[in-house]
Amino acid sequence: MAKVFFTCGGSDANEAALNIARTYTGKSKILSRYRSYHGSTLGAGNLSGDPRRFDLETPAAPGFIKFYDPYVYRSEIEFKDDAEASAFYLRQLEEQINYEGKNQIAAVWVESVTGANGIIIPPDGYLQGLRRLCDKYGILLVSDEVMAGFYRTGEIFAFNHWGIKPDLIIFAKGITCGYIQLGGVIISKAIAEFYNNKVYQFGLTYSGHTLACAAGNAVLDFYEKENIREKVRATGKVLGELLEDLYRKHSSVGNVRYIGLFSAIELVRDKKTKEPLVPYAGDAKGVMKRIFGALRAKGFSTYGRENNINISPPLTITADELRAAFLILDEVLYSVDRGEF
Ligand SMILES: Cc1ncc(COP(=O)(O)O)c(C=O)c1O
């Protein structure tokens, strides 16, 4: 990678990357996934797949096309392994690329590990295959690491688990640990060189603001000094064990997904049929809101979307603190099992 364009957060970093992807390729179509969130501004909102985009789509901005996530738990197919699952989702995407016009697509946009929409971890081989697919058709691969970046998953960026290199990397949140507004786009060498002879027509008054960058540098130093990467890997193991334990114990826990300190519990009405506890974009009775409220009342503060409880504790959490917090979660999940919400 060659350069960074700094922004004030994640949404404008996605806007900046949209501008780069379209200008650099001269193409307009962007493929992103249904279970994704990339921000609330016009471009980033249309890029997002989750229901928060619906209010922005009045009308929807042209050129934004959605594809299916490698959401193995919710697949109709029982894949025998990750390789088979990856091949299936990549074949499906390649078909869509062809239907959309293989020469018309500027970029494929992913959260390498999906954040707000339920910590969807791609099967092994998926991201490597996605990289190959993008190279085959001259499409840019963009990874939005706003949630998953800066050691949340036990690597600086989540895609590092699979050894791929995107063309654009979007970051925010963890760069300053959320204390000061800072985000940005990391740009590949080839794209940076393109801009050596062309002015980048995307300006922000506060791009590269000294205060924000000072906070970013201080946080990066802290991550290194505290050896956060190794800490997250160690506590992430404990988190995984605690989640597996909840899966075994609770009839309402359909699936647990975790990588580093990035995890989610998917709540269901029935473990066998996998019927979600609340319908997609249709929790009219506020069931999930009440569950989050019950957790918060007992001192466990978190959030999630749809039928997921996301659990992404501070990177500095200790194993004992995690265990104590999970006692609260365990108790509330028994109430969910009994249908009390
Ligand atoms: C993956 C991802 N991208 C982009 C954004 C938008 O970032 P911001 O809220 O800083 O504009 C978010 C925010 O939650 C996010 O999770």
Side-chain angles (χ1 to χ4, degrees):
M1 308 306 277
K3 289 189 179 174
V4 179
F5 178 76
F6 287 105
T7 64
C8 307
S11 300
D12 50 345
N14 276 283
E15 298 290 346
L18 277 169
N19 180 306
I20 294 169
R22 286 176 164 163
T23 309
Y24 176 73
T25 62
K27 301 171 190 174
S28 67
K29 285 189 182 175
I30 310 278
L31 284 169
S32 59
R33 296 193 301 209
Y34 282 107
R35 297 203 64 115
S36 69
Y37 180 69
H38 298 289
S40 293
T41 48
L42 192 61
N46 274 272
L47 195 57
S48 299
D50 88 26
R52 279 174 281 186
R53 81 179 196 274
F54 296 156
D55 285 350
L56 273 167
E57 292 184 325
T58 52
F64 292 94
I65 296 137
K66 302 292 180 297
F67 66 102
Y68 280 99
D69 306 74
Y71 192 3
V72 174
Y73 172 66
R74 290 245 159 245
S75 172
E76 297 275 309
I77 304 167
E78 280 281 335
F79 298 113
K80 80 171 187 294
D81 55 23
D82 278 21
E84 193 177 278
S86 295
F88 170 80
Y89 288 109
L90 292 166
R91 263 199 315 277
Q92 194 182 49
L93 176 59
E94 185 161 13
E95 195 177 346
Q96 200 175 352
I97 287 172
N98 281 290
Y99 286 143
E100 287 296 337
K102 60 181 186 293
N103 297 321
Q104 308 215 37
I105 299 158
V108 167
W109 220 274
V110 295
E111 291 175 70
S112 55
V113 171
T114 303
N117 281 269
I119 317 297
I120 300 169
I121 303 164
D124 282 336
Y126 175 86
L127 285 176
Q128 297 92 317
L130 193 57
R131 178 69 275 182
R132 283 194 297 275
L133 203 55
C134 287
D135 289 343
K136 181 173 170 185
Y137 293 107
I139 297 171
L140 298 179
L141 177 58
V142 183
S143 190
D144 181 339
E145 298 286 320
V146 168
M147 242 197 208
F150 295 101
Y151 304 106
R152 171 57 56 196
T153 68
E155 286 284 0
I156 185 156
F157 295 118
F159 62 75
N160 291 131
H161 288 280
W162 295 277
I164 62 141
K165 193 176 148 193
D167 298 291
L168 296 170
I169 302 164
I170 295 159
F171 64 91
K173 299 191 196 285
I175 179 68
T176 64
C177 198
Y179 287 112
I180 299 282
Q181 306 90 320
L182 183 65
V185 195
I186 307 175
I187 299 160
S188 72
K189 216 168 160 207
I191 300 174
E193 275 167 11
F194 167 80
Y195 281 103
N196 284 342
N197 303 311
K198 180 171 173 35
V199 176
Y200 177 45
Q201 300 287 7
F202 188 102
L204 296 170
T205 299
Y206 302 109
S207 177
H209 194 283
T210 313
L211 174 66
C213 289
N217 278 331
V219 168
L220 289 181
D221 288 347
F222 179 86
Y223 287 154
E224 209 168 298
K225 189 173 95 242
E226 294 290 320
N227 205 0
I228 285 295
R229 183 170 175 269
E230 298 314 314
K231 249 183 202 157
V232 168
R233 288 173 167 218
T235 40
K237 258 195 196 137
V238 178
L239 175 66
E241 286 159 14
L242 290 164
L243 286 164
E244 292 293 350
D245 187 47
L246 294 183
Y247 174 74
R248 281 189 294 272
K249 281 158 77 176
H250 294 282
S251 58
S252 60
V253 176
N255 192 219
V256 290
R257 298 182 286 271
Y258 48 88
I259 179 166
L261 287 175
F262 207 31
S263 70
I265 290 177
E266 181 154 349
L267 298 176
V268 292
R269 293 206 173 278
D270 183 319
K271 233 168 169 145
K272 272 215 177 74
T273 66
K274 301 183 183 176
E275 183 192 347
L277 187 70
V278 296
Y280 186 78
D283 184 9
K285 292 187 190 140
V287 170
M288 293 303 294
K289 203 171 165 189
R290 286 203 299 279
I291 294 172
F292 290 121
L295 284 168
R296 193 172 306 122
K298 292 177 194 295
F300 189 113
S301 184
T302 190
Y303 99 121
R305 299 195 66 76
E306 310 307 333
N307 58 326
N308 292 297
I309 300 176
N310 281 23
I311 301 149
S312 301
L315 304 185
T316 50
I317 200 165
T318 64
D320 284 346
E321 286 167 338
L322 257 183
R323 288 190 190 98
F326 265 66
L327 294 177
I328 299 173
L329 192 53
D330 193 28
E331 191 187 331
V332 171
L333 285 172
Y334 276 118
S335 305
V336 179
D337 293 345
R338 291 191 293 265
E340 288 173 15
F341 293 94

